[in-house]
Amino acid sequence: VQDRAPQPSGTAPGSPGVLGRSLASVLAVFVALYVLHVGVEAGVGGWEPTHLETVGYGAGVAATATSVYWLMMTVGRFLVAPIALRYSAQAIITVSCAGMTVCLVLASVRELAPYAYAGVGLFIAPIFPTGLPWLHRAAPGARRAGALVIAASMLGGVAAGPVLGKAIEWSGIRAVPLLLSGVSALCLAATLWLVRSTRTR
């Protein structure tokens, strides 16, 4: 393991990885992406069984479906390794956020809910590990950027419970997947912004 990451072909050492946007803006949006997607991850894990029971599934089915959600997230973390050799982090995270959003919308349909939540786990899995190399390439001069993003992302898990709980008080348990799909759509918007803003020379 070398002390310095190899420079991508066509990129001179020390050349900026961010065009047209300030480094602070890019870091802020990366932090937002991580906070939001960890919030979705924690929100699904915490509220999926309650939502499934509310729409008519038994407690056993709800618990099993939630376990499958976490299983699919674990499977997705392993699957992304070979996929990352063929596709860019930008493409992987864009597809992941789009798939996550679609699956959360489908989870509002009772018959599809357990399967849709499993799809959420599969799509959300690549975001955390794939985003960090993208961040490093986009902001090579920010040595502590990865640590900052990881630490800040934990806010998503901490805030997901009370924030989502308050929203559910107003809208009801059945709205859980739609509320989470809104947060997921914000993840997709942040990703598209980063794709445009982190193009290298």
Side-chain angles (χ1 to χ4, degrees):
V1 178
Q2 298 179 353
D3 293 334
R4 297 181 180 179
Q7 295 293 326
S9 58
T11 302
S15 64
V18 177
L19 290 180
R21 305 284 182 179
S22 70
L23 179 60
S25 297
V26 170
L27 289 178
V29 177
F30 264 110
V31 167
L33 172 62
Y34 269 68
V35 168
L36 292 170
H37 106 270
V38 171
V40 172
E41 177 183 314
V44 173
W47 286 96
E48 178 184 355
T50 305
H51 173 250
L52 291 178
E53 288 187 54
T54 300
V55 298
Y57 289 95
V61 173
T64 300
T66 305
S67 297
V68 171
Y69 161 73
W70 291 111
L71 173 64
M72 294 304 287
M73 187 179 299
T74 303
V75 170
R77 292 268 164 88
F78 283 101
L79 288 178
V80 74
I83 293 174
L85 298 176
R86 300 177 61 89
Y87 300 97
S88 68
Q90 295 92 317
I92 292 172
I93 295 179
T94 301
V95 171
S96 294
C97 289
M100 182 172 62
T101 304
V102 170
C103 286
L104 284 168
V105 172
L106 292 177
S108 63
V109 180
R110 180 193 180 280
E111 293 76 13
L112 300 177
Y115 310 101
Y117 280 125
V120 173
L122 187 63
F123 279 112
I124 203 173
I127 299 176
F128 200 104
T130 309
L132 294 178
W134 181 15
L135 171 62
H136 178 71
R137 289 193 300 272
R143 296 183 178 183
R144 295 178 179 85
L148 170 66
V149 167
I150 291 174
S153 70
M154 297 301 102
L155 293 175
V158 172
V163 172
L164 189 57
K166 182 58 68 174
I168 289 170
E169 283 184 19
W170 298 331
S171 56
I173 299 292
R174 293 176 183 271
V176 166
L178 295 178
L179 291 171
L180 290 172
S181 69
V183 179
S184 181
L186 293 176
C187 291
L188 179 58
T191 300
L192 294 176
W193 188 93
L194 287 169
V195 169
R196 291 193 302 271
S197 303
T198 60
R199 294 190 176 99
T200 55
R201 286 190 173 89

